[in-house]
Amino acid sequence: PPGDITSSIMPEPSLQDLIPRMRQRIRAAGVVNQAGARLTPGRFSAPVVVGRVCDPSPLMATEAALGRAAPDRLVRGLAAAALMAGAHRVVLAVNGEDRDLLAGLTLAAQGTRLELRPVPPRYPMDPEDLLCDLAQDESKSVPAAGLDRALVLGARELWDLANALDGRPPSRRAVTVAGQVAKPDVLQ
């Protein structure tokens, strides 16, 4: 409250001060979306922000690898995106068949308002399909579930948002090496 003695000793930054600083760091870092276009955090505006940790192909493992490497980083990136978008709902959609990934992200999301939602694997898993799966899980249509204007960000985008906030450069492109190879892996 105004006049509170603690506010004069340890002033906390207001959201009005914090959000522009976050946007500035993200712009300076040059975070890009999955298509390679720069993310413009000043244009983030969505009632719902959905983070996706569901690889779009059965041969890909990039999003799962990022989720296992640092689940707290993905949760932090998603929280930053939700704050900048002014979202009232935050969802993290995770491949429901990957129990280890789900457990790590559940632990990282404890104490947050984030909804962790296991979704069935679907290939291809594009943003529209993901929103349909989330709405179907609620037995609603996409508009009735409030997902028609949702902002969907993949694991790499969430990772890079968190990196930008820490003053780190965006990650290098991660590539899944799979198929008839001696050792399938995710390389950066």
Side-chain angles (χ1 to χ4, degrees), residues 6-7 11 19 21 25 30 51 62-63 86 91 115-116 136 142 161 174-175 177:
T6 58
S7 64
I19 292 173
R21 287 187 300 193
R25 283 189 176 190
T62 306
E63 293 201 353
V91 179
E115 298 173 38
L116 194 68
Q136 182 179 348
V142 170
L161 287 172
V175 177
V177 178

Side-chain angles (χ1 to χ4, degrees), residues 4-82:
D4 182 340
I5 189 72
T6 58
S7 64
S8 63
I9 297 171
M10 297 175 55
E12 292 186 20
S14 71
L15 290 181
Q16 291 175 335
D17 295 335
L18 184 61
I19 292 173
R21 287 187 300 193
M22 291 169 62
R23 288 179 175 153
Q24 181 181 13
R25 283 189 176 190
I26 291 164
R27 271 193 301 275
V31 176
V32 297
N33 66 16
Q34 293 174 341
R38 276 196 144 185
L39 283 181
T40 50
R43 293 189 179 161
F44 281 11
S45 179
V48 180
V49 175
V50 178
R52 184 191 73 207
V53 189
C54 310
D55 287 293
S57 164
L59 292 177
M60 294 179 75
T62 306
E63 293 201 353
L66 291 173
R68 281 191 197 88
D72 55 325
R73 184 159 292 285
L74 298 188
V75 169
R76 185 163 186 251
L78 182 56

